[in-house]
């Protein structure tokens, strides 16, 4: 379209030049007639001056006519071609001169083939990046990284750090993996620096005799915590039935004693009331401050933390809701003690129900918007697809027996790598195999165990970092929901597992692996 405009402007310019030449010729003829008709001697000097001026005008007009005649002699088709090539060159789209016979006159403009090759590589890289970003946003981008993870447990580095007096029950990590937060049965939250594994801030609890609605801290055990995408807000909930929102921005000293003195007066931003039972799960929707909470009152509530306001309540479970997860869309996945999983489609005001073999589903995790994992008191690790009401695949006795039920699950988002935790002292890594032999269809049809990493005690919470290189744990001597067993060798705090990954090609999917269809 722009090339046509250039051609149109060139034709218009030629037309205007011809009109100007005709007007100049008419003016010169009128000036000569006026001078000839003047026979007065008194006006000789003025006539001489007029002749001199007319001569100058004639000379300039002749020069213009000569230059314009030269342009007029050029073929309009060649002029258009020249303008078109100039425009294409400005857009950096002109390819080698040998590609088209009509552009062979400008071969010198494309001699540097190496520059064009480098530009093509950059364009392909940018195109792949935009494609990947689009597919990730839609939940259809699957990275095959499990094959690059070492199968030797000793290759993975495990670091445990004590941070609580009682068992840690939950963990959350920021998108950039510089900050993490853990909650505990001792009513406290600890905000961590991941690189140094030191405490940045401690949010202490309050006495259980205080009014939970007015207290400036939790009055009961903390069972759930979540960290906003911008690492500005921490949400926590527990036995006191209140969702508390904390300011996560760091100020002052990082030492425990000084931070405790400053946090009591200014840490808590809001206390959101509404649940009638213990809060068992919290999760932020990705890249938003929309918070979902699950509770033993059999409901799921939605909160807007931009306005610190209640939004909606979701009903459907017939027993305590114990776990919750979400991803990009306005959806929430929940597991409960009623033997079911539910995927809540919030804008449509509908829900999908999936029946499980476990009476109590203690952990759920979304792989992408179509596939998810669950685990519970039957010791089975199940993979699901929203198109089917039964598990796509199940691993029976994933941690060695019914007594070792699954207490936590995590998945590296949009990939084929997952992990599960229990109380048998092992964290297990899993490779989620695609459906059949079609690498473009992502959906775990089977699971293979990669290795078992020793982690003593209960793994009550687990999450993969966005880089997919680390797994963050909440470890404790007791299960987060009870005190049935106590493992004294465990550390009540945070655990960080740095995975041994072959970097070559691990996070650069091939073109046929970039698309993983999502049956949503």
């Amino acid at each position: 379209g722009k090339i046509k405009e250039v051609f149109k402007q060139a034709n218009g310019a030629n037309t205007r030049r011809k009109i100007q030449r005709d007007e100049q010729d008419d003016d010169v003829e009128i000036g000569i007639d006026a001078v000839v008709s003047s026979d007065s001697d008194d006006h000789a000097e003025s006539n001489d001056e007029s002749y001199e001026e007319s001569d100058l005008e004639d000379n300039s007009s002749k020069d213009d006519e000569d230059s314009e005649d030269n342009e007029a002699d050029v073929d309009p088709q060649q002029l258009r071609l020249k303008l078109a090539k100039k425009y294409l060159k400005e857009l950096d789209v002109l390819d080698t001169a040998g590609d088209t016979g009509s552009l062979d006159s400008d071969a010198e403009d494309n001699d540097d083939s190496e520059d064009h090759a480098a530009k093509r590589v950059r364009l392909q890289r940018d195109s792949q990046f935009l494609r990947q970003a689009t597919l990730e946003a839609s939940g259809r981008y699957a990275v095959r990284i499990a094959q690059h993870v070492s199968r030797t447990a000793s290759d993975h580095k495990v670091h445990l750090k004590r941070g609580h007096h009682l068992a840690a029950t939950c963990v959350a990590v920021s998108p950039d993996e510089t900050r993490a937060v853990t909650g505990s049965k001792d009513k406290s939250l600890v905000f961590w620096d991941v690189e140094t594994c030191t405490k940045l801030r401690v949010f202490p609890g309050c006495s259980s005799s205080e009014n939970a609605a007015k207290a400036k801290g939790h009055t009961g055990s903390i069972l759930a915590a979540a960290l906003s995408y911008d690492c500005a807000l921490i949400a926590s909930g527990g036995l006191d039935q209140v969702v508390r929102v904390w300011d996560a921005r760091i100020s002052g000293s990082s030492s425990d004693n000084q931070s405790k003195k400053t946090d009591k007066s200014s840490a808590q931003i809001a206390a959101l009331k509404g649940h009638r039972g213990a809060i068992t799960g919290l999760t932020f929707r990705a890249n938003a401050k929309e918070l979902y909470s699950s509770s033993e009152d059999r409901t799921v509530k939605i909160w807007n933390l931009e306005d610190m306001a209640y939004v909606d309540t979701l009903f459907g479970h017939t027993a305590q809701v114990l776990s919750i997860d979400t991803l990009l869309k306005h959806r929430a996945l929940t597991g409960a003690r009623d033997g079911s999983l539910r995927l809540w489609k919030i804008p449509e005001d509908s829900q999908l129900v999936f029946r499980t073999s476990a009476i109590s589903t203690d952990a759920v995790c979304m792989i992408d918007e179509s596939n998810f994992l669950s685990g519970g008191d039957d010791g089975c690790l199940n993979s699901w697809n929203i198109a089917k009401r039964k598990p796509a695949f199940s691993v029976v006795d994933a941690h060695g027996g019914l007594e070792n039920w699954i207490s936590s699950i995590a998945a590296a988002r949009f990939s084929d790598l997952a992990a599960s935790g229990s109380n048998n002292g092992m964290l297990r890594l899993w490779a989620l195999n695609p459906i059949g032999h079609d690498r473009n269809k992502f959906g775990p049809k089977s699971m293979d165990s990669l290795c078992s990493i020793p982690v003593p005690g209960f793994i009550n919470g687990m999450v993969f970092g966005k880089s997919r290189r680390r797994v963050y744990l909440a470890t404790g001597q007791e299960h987060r929901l009870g005190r049935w067993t106590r493992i004294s060798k465990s550390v009540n705090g945070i655990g960080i597992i740095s995975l041994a990954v072959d970097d070559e090609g691990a996070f650069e999917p091939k073109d046929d692996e970039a698309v993983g269809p999502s049956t949503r």
Side-chain angles (χ1 to χ4, degrees), residues 390-417:
K390 294 182 179 180
F393 188 78
S394 296
V395 179
V396 180
D397 296 338
H399 282 264
L402 291 176
E403 67 278 4
N404 300 324
W405 65 85
I406 296 176
S407 57
S408 60
I409 295 175
R413 306 290 197 184
F414 307 108
S415 77
D416 59 348
L417 182 63

Side-chain angles (χ1 to χ4, degrees), residues 83-97:
L83 293 172
K85 288 188 289 187
K86 182 178 179 181
Y87 179 71
L88 291 174
K89 184 178 179 182
E90 292 176 356
L91 293 179
D92 198 20
V93 185
L94 190 61
D95 206 344
T96 58

Side-chain angles (χ1 to χ4, degrees), residues 197-507:
C197 209
T198 57
K199 298 179 182 179
L200 294 174
R201 180 178 271 188
V202 177
F203 304 92
C206 298
S207 173
S208 58
S209 61
E210 294 187 34
N211 187 343
K214 297 180 180 179
K216 295 299 181 180
H218 283 284
T219 59
S221 299
I222 297 175
L223 301 179
L227 189 61
S228 64
Y229 71 96
D230 57 358
C231 203
L233 300 176
I234 298 173
S236 61
L239 295 180
D240 59 4
Q241 307 176 9
V242 178
V243 177
R244 301 186 186 274
V245 183
W246 312 82
D247 185 358
R249 290 167 291 190
I250 304 302
S251 61
S253 173
S254 61
S255 64
D256 292 349
N257 294 332
Q258 294 184 10
S259 62
K260 288 180 181 180
K261 293 180 182 179
T262 58
D263 289 340
K264 288 184 178 179
S265 59
S266 60
Q268 183 172 298
I269 298 176
L272 306 177
K273 300 176 289 295
H275 280 295
R276 297 184 178 181
I279 296 170
T280 56
L282 291 169
T283 181
F284 279 100
R285 188 167 64 86
N287 302 323
K289 291 188 177 179
E290 186 175 85
L291 180 70
Y292 302 131
S293 62
S294 62
S295 172
E296 291 184 353
D297 63 4
R298 300 176 292 179
T299 66
V300 175
K301 291 187 182 294
I302 306 173
W303 312 86
N304 181 2
L305 295 196
E306 292 284 357
D307 303 324
M308 299 297 168
Y310 160 81
V311 177
D312 197 5
T313 300
L314 308 178
F315 297 94
H317 281 292
T318 58
Q320 298 96 319
V321 185
L322 301 179
S323 53
I324 189 169
D325 195 19
T326 187
L327 256 179
L328 299 169
K329 289 189 172 184
H330 292 271
R331 295 180 177 181
L333 174 69
T334 55
R337 198 166 282 171
D338 57 3
S340 72
L341 305 173
R342 293 178 188 260
L343 182 66
W344 307 84
K345 297 182 178 181
I346 297 169
E348 296 89 345
D349 194 19
S350 63
Q351 55 185 281
L352 300 177
V353 182
F354 306 86
R355 298 296 176 184
T356 68
S357 59
I359 298 176
S360 177
T361 301
D362 292 348
V364 295
C365 181
M366 297 185 72
I367 305 170
D368 57 22
E369 297 289 356
S370 298
N371 302 281
F372 54 92
L373 302 172
S374 70
D377 60 0
D378 62 347
C380 291
L381 178 63
N382 301 316
S383 66
W384 304 78
N385 185 279
I386 63 173
K388 297 181 179 180
R389 297 297 180 266
K390 294 182 179 180
F393 188 78
S394 296
V395 179
V396 180
D397 296 338
H399 282 264
L402 291 176
E403 67 278 4
N404 300 324
W405 65 85
I406 296 176
S407 57
S408 60
I409 295 175
R413 306 290 197 184
F414 307 108
S415 77
D416 59 348
L417 182 63
S420 62
S422 181
N423 64 336
N424 65 334
M426 292 292 176
L427 178 142
R428 300 198 68 179
L429 295 178
W430 303 91
L432 309 177
N433 299 322
I435 298 176
H437 298 286
D438 190 350
R439 304 294 294 179
N440 288 335
K441 289 187 177 181
F442 180 74
K445 190 67 176 178
S446 65
M447 289 182 283
D448 295 331
S449 176
L450 294 176
C451 64
S452 297
I453 303 174
V455 179
F458 283 87
I459 303 176
N460 290 319
M462 184 189 311
V463 62
F464 271 88
K466 191 174 182 180
S467 67
R468 306 183 181 97
R469 295 174 181 269
R470 288 177 175 175
V471 187
Y472 300 87
L473 313 175
T475 61
Q477 298 175 349
E478 302 171 349
H479 191 277
R480 71 184 190 105
L481 297 178
R483 305 186 67 178
W484 304 288
T485 306
R486 180 179 176 85
I487 303 174
S488 59
K489 295 182 180 180
S490 178
V491 175
N492 295 323
I494 189 172
I496 301 176
I497 299 179
S498 299
L499 300 178
V501 180
D502 181 11
D503 290 336
E504 185 177 356
F507 301 97

Side-chain angles (χ1 to χ4, degrees), residues 60-80:
S60 63
S61 64
K62 288 179 181 179
D63 294 336
D64 294 335
E65 289 175 2
D66 292 337
S67 62
E68 291 171 358
D69 290 337
N70 292 333
E71 292 181 358
D73 293 337
V74 179
D75 186 9
Q77 192 69 19
Q78 294 179 358
L79 179 62
R80 292 171 183 168

